[in-house]
Amino acid sequence: MRTPLLLCAALAIVPLTTAAEKIAMIPKGTTHNFWKSVEAGAKKAGTELGVEIIWKGPLKEDDRAQQIGVVQQFVASGVSGIVLAPLDDIALRGPVKSAGERNIPVVIFDSALRGEPGKDFVSFVATDNRRGGRLGAEELVRLLDGKGKVVLLRYAEGSASTIEREAGFLEVIQQHPGINVIVDNRYGGATTSSAQDAAMNLIDKIREADGIFCVNESTTHGMLLALRQTNLVGKKKFVGFDTSPVLLAALQKGDIQGLVAQNPTKMGYLGVVSVVKHLRGEKVDPVIDTGCVLVTRENISTPAVKEVLGK
């Protein structure tokens, strides 16, 4: 069912009867459930607005060169607009600038790009990631009653979205002197497998810890597998980020105590809406917050959480 917010966004633009604009949608990767939800939202907007959505991105979320090549390919082919989730907040600046020089508008989504929204690119459509990190930290503080040892598993250098989550998490934790972060400099990487390996390499620290925070789908899933592999699952207070079916099942089972949920379907939808509005001469807000919410076993069935989860 279409939410009221999405309905309003859709009604703001009337599809044209001329040849359909071609919108290139370029995610960070194409394997995680998060991106599949983004694609669904983008294609829904494309259908409603009468534009063609071309979905293409790197297979893995650590292939900067491939993502740069995809952007360059779409610029050369002369698409109408690009909606991009940059793998690196610096490395993708050049390709985005090249698009602008060819009069191809770019909307950045999910993860920030260095530059000024509304000037260097049309708009930035994303979760308030720093707030998401704070939500995760506040829940972990509550679960630990304000005291204990904590492990933070980061994602990857250069990923603006997760850097913001990590910063928001540490901002809150630093306000609680009873909590000691014993690991904050390890990265899980782009896949569940690499994150599981990273967690296993930290297993002695994890045994020592009382709580754990992971900053995206792959790090949360990888940590979950490592905890299960070492019979530590359920013995540590564990808060993660993102809500794949596997992670939601683990939450309901009690293996994870909290998940910060984004709204990837809404992100994909509004990314397309924003670039099409710009193409059709309508005003676009330079920053669009798609929201986030903490999901627990206690609130997972509430209307507010169901809306974010698309249930």
Side-chain angles (χ1 to χ4, degrees), residues 176-227:
H176 297 271
I179 294 183
N180 179 26
V181 181
I182 59 174
V183 175
D184 69 355
N185 62 350
R186 300 296 182 90
Y187 293 87
T191 68
T192 296
S193 178
S194 66
Q196 182 179 3
D197 289 343
M200 290 302 297
N201 289 334
L202 290 172
I203 205 64
D204 288 341
K205 287 291 187 181
I206 291 170
R207 290 185 194 278
E208 181 185 345
D210 303 293
I212 300 164
F213 181 63
C214 297
V215 297
N216 78 326
E217 181 181 335
S218 60
T219 54
T220 303
H221 192 182
M223 179 64 73
L224 175 66
L225 294 177
L227 293 175

Side-chain angles (χ1 to χ4, degrees), residues 69-79 82 98-99 102 104:
V70 170
V71 177
Q72 292 172 335
Q73 173 191 337
F74 282 126
V75 170
S77 68
V79 293
I82 293 172
S98 295
R102 294 281 296 271
I104 299 172

